[in-house]
Amino acid sequence: MQFEVWAPQAERVTLRCDGATRAMERDPGREGWWRTEAEARDGSRYGYALDDGPVLPDPRSRRQPDGPDGLSAVVDHERHAWRTAWAGRPLPGAVLYELHVGTYTREGTLDAAAERLGHLAELGVTHVELMPLCPFPGRHGWGYEGVSLWAVHEPYGGPEALKRFVDRAHALGLGVVLDVVHNHLGPSGNYLPAFGPYFTDTHHTPWGSAVNLDAPGSDEVRDYLRESALAWLRDYRIDGLRLDAVHALADTRACHFLEELSAAVDALAAELDRPLFLIAESDLNDPRLITPREEGGLGLHAQWNDDFHHALHTALTGESQGYYGDFARAPLAALAKTLTGGYFHDGTYSSFRGRRHGRPLDRTRVAAHRLLGYGQTHDQVGNRALGDRLSASLSPGLLACAATLVLTAPFTPMLFMGEEWAAGTPWQFFTDHTDPELAEAVRRGRRREFASHGWAEEDVPDPQDPATRDRSCLDWTEPGGEPHARVLDWYRTLIALRHGQADLTDPDLADIKVAHDERQRWLAFRRGDVRVAVNLAKEPAAIPLGPRHARVLAAWEPVEAPGPDGLLQVPGESAVVLLQG
């Protein structure tokens, strides 16, 4: 078997494989690369020593059986026998479900999560979006401090468990999306700087030195990130990737890394003859991100739309702190603007940033499915002091209104695990750092952050306490009781309507018409012949829909179709979906 590693600054590189040591030679065809041949098989343990230093894991390790600090292991992907023929499932028309493997079940493994995929198939979602799976120190964490960008966290089950999960999902007709982090690596177990200039001080990010995308040596770093992304799609049959915080990818080169990555993914999709896609997390509100490359954009297929979330959240809760401030001034107007124009901040002043932000999205050219809409995500729940979900403070009726707006809006809808039954469990920030100093720094930093917002430090959960993770695990007994069962049935009804009514997956943003009353707290919108109305007030509302005949497709509380006066009488904290014509 051939072993190769990029170590441009080393004078000597040695391979240690299954206890044997072999000197490596410079590759004459690739500057900075070293190579050698050695006997190895699936599971062989190996690592590299640079200039007689300690043996380090492979930067392109496919498996870390003993965690980020241990030796790497050979993975022979050809040994896996896939059971499900899979033609892929595209993003248009999708309903996504964000899932954290470590808390989706109490066991916290991929195999345990796979046993619960039948629930999602019955719910009607089309894709499972897994939070990051790369190895990180300890057992439990969110996954955003991962290292070894080609490997799967061993406590989750490692590479074979991910393949079993994907196979099971595909057998149920579910696509699989994986969250990947290219903008930084975890501080613990990160050996990349020993091998080469993977990071640069040319730019800085909230996590320190930036990943090197444009300084000397960046060709190989870009290749490292691009090929790791393609490996998930090719070797594990993943259907799409969610790219974490792409606004933190500092790149001044003429061809941005994201454009390069999107071109490579599109080429792989053509080669494999199945749809593949990239979804960005970005706070730039820049439509060039999701504009096709041939039109001068970066060519990503979709992005999360936090503006829709913020408008919806303020309308439901009345919160106005931090970045919610601009949306809270007139939340229903903000919601109406996102429903028709995608972004709220499209060159408008952002008080949170102290400057104008964003640029307009051409709604006649950008398909609505390129924006993801959601009422809850791991960020928007877990980054609250107590990790409280909307269900902790809202009535079932308001939760039904939130679900209605997410699942009938023009965007690709995404749910956060457990919201479909109004889960009573929180989802809190938890870590399992093995470095005592890092653990204490994270603990102090978390408490200091929320103390500045008025929280007592003792009330902020300790991220390192195992109980914090345990509290965050879903309680699978809840869906059998009320009000959880009723909320779950409402989600199933709405998702079925989305799949059954073509107007609800129409990508034309320009065709959407919205009316609202800020004082009476109702909002209604039209998508083709479908009418959607939500009443967020406690009092009933008379919502004018016009004189055309309509029939009720779904209602949280019983309602009658509008009479000759065209008024729809909607009970307080309730939602209705109708078909006119």
Side-chain angles (χ1 to χ4, degrees), residues 124-148:
V125 302
T126 63
H127 293 76
V128 182
E129 182 176 307
L130 298 174
M131 288 175 61
L133 298 180
C134 291
F136 54 87
R139 177 174 179 81
H140 295 299
W142 282 18
Y144 292 94
E145 298 296 330
V147 296
S148 298

Side-chain angles (χ1 to χ4, degrees), residues 114-466:
E115 293 178 5
R116 293 286 186 180
L117 287 176
H119 164 78
L120 301 185
E122 181 185 356
L123 179 63
V125 302
T126 63
H127 293 76
V128 182
E129 182 176 307
L130 298 174
M131 288 175 61
L133 298 180
C134 291
F136 54 87
R139 177 174 179 81
H140 295 299
W142 282 18
Y144 292 94
E145 298 296 330
V147 296
S148 298
L149 299 190
W150 305 55
V152 179
H153 190 50
E154 205 68 19
Y156 288 167
E160 285 302 306
L162 177 56
K163 292 173 183 176
R164 291 191 294 269
F165 180 94
V166 173
D167 226 351
R168 175 60 176 159
H170 287 172
L172 292 169
L174 298 169
V176 181
V177 181
L178 177 62
D179 194 339
V180 296
V181 184
H182 290 162
N183 51 58
H184 76 291
L185 280 82
S188 182
N190 177 13
Y191 297 100
L192 289 184
F195 285 89
Y198 282 89
F199 301 90
T200 175
D201 288 329
T202 304
H203 311 286
H204 289 272
T205 74
W207 307 281
S209 296
V211 173
N212 180 14
L213 297 176
D214 57 6
S218 58
D219 287 353
E220 293 292 351
V221 179
R222 293 162 76 102
D223 179 76
Y224 172 79
L225 297 176
R226 183 186 65 251
E227 292 304 312
S228 71
L230 297 180
W232 296 114
L233 301 170
R234 181 185 58 246
D235 299 335
Y236 293 94
R237 297 193 178 185
I238 300 290
D239 298 281
L241 301 176
R242 183 260 192 187
L243 309 177
D244 181 66
V246 300
H247 49 268
L249 294 173
D251 183 6
T252 60
R253 291 170 61 159
C255 181
H256 195 282
F257 169 71
L258 292 175
E259 181 181 353
E260 182 181 321
L261 178 60
S262 72
V265 169
D266 287 348
L268 182 62
E271 175 188 333
L272 299 178
D273 193 27
R274 62 181 174 91
L276 303 172
F277 51 85
L278 296 171
I279 302 172
E281 179 198 21
S282 171
D283 72 355
L284 298 176
N285 283 22
D286 186 350
R288 288 174 295 190
L289 196 71
I290 53 175
T291 298
R293 294 185 304 280
E294 56 270 22
E295 297 178 20
L298 298 183
L300 301 184
H301 305 91
Q303 71 155 97
W304 282 25
N305 186 7
D306 274 353
D307 279 12
F308 173 74
H309 168 273
H310 298 345
L312 177 58
H313 187 89
T314 57
L316 293 166
T317 68
E319 291 184 11
S320 59
Q321 71 276 18
Y323 48 66
Y324 291 135
D326 293 330
F327 301 86
R329 291 188 179 96
L332 293 181
L335 192 54
K337 182 176 180 180
T338 62
L339 285 168
T340 55
Y343 301 142
F344 175 77
H345 284 303
D346 53 7
T348 58
Y349 183 79
S350 165
S351 61
F352 177 71
R353 298 173 178 88
R355 59 169 174 80
R356 289 188 296 274
H357 182 66
R359 66 186 298 166
L361 181 152
D362 186 348
R363 61 191 190 131
T364 65
R365 298 175 63 189
V366 177
H369 77 262
R370 293 186 180 276
L371 298 173
L372 266 63
Y374 37 83
Q376 301 180 74
T377 71
H378 78 271
D379 269 332
Q380 302 300 339
V381 175
N383 282 326
R384 297 171 67 84
L386 301 181
D388 48 315
R389 299 168 178 266
L390 288 177
S391 56
S393 57
L394 299 184
S395 68
L398 286 179
L399 296 177
C401 291
T404 304
L405 290 166
V406 168
L407 289 165
T408 62
F411 316 121
T412 295
M414 184 180 73
L415 313 179
F416 179 58
M417 63 175 198
E419 80 164 79
E420 72 274 20
W421 73 68
T425 50
W427 201 76
Q428 298 177 335
F429 179 70
F430 52 89
T431 56
D432 190 19
H433 291 302
T434 53
D435 180 340
E437 291 186 5
L438 179 59
E440 183 58 27
V442 170
R443 181 184 292 115
R444 287 198 310 267
R446 185 78 176 175
R447 288 176 170 170
R448 191 163 49 241
E449 174 188 357
F450 286 103
S452 66
H453 295 291
W455 290 88
E457 288 196 13
E458 61 271 18
D459 292 337
V460 179
D462 178 0
Q464 285 286 119
D465 185 346

Side-chain angles (χ1 to χ4, degrees), residues 42-65:
D42 185 78
S44 288
R45 303 292 184 91
Y46 73 99
Y48 300 110
L50 310 178
D51 297 327
D52 302 322
V55 179
L56 302 176
D58 182 1
R60 298 191 177 209
S61 170
R62 270 64 170 183
R63 187 182 175 199
Q64 290 297 119

Side-chain angles (χ1 to χ4, degrees), residues 503-504 506 511-512 526-531 548 579-580:
D503 285 337
L504 291 180
D506 184 345
D511 188 51
I512 298 169
R526 183 191 78 192
R527 300 192 62 197
D529 289 329
V530 174
R531 302 293 186 269
R548 290 179 59 193
L579 187 67
Q580 282 191 323

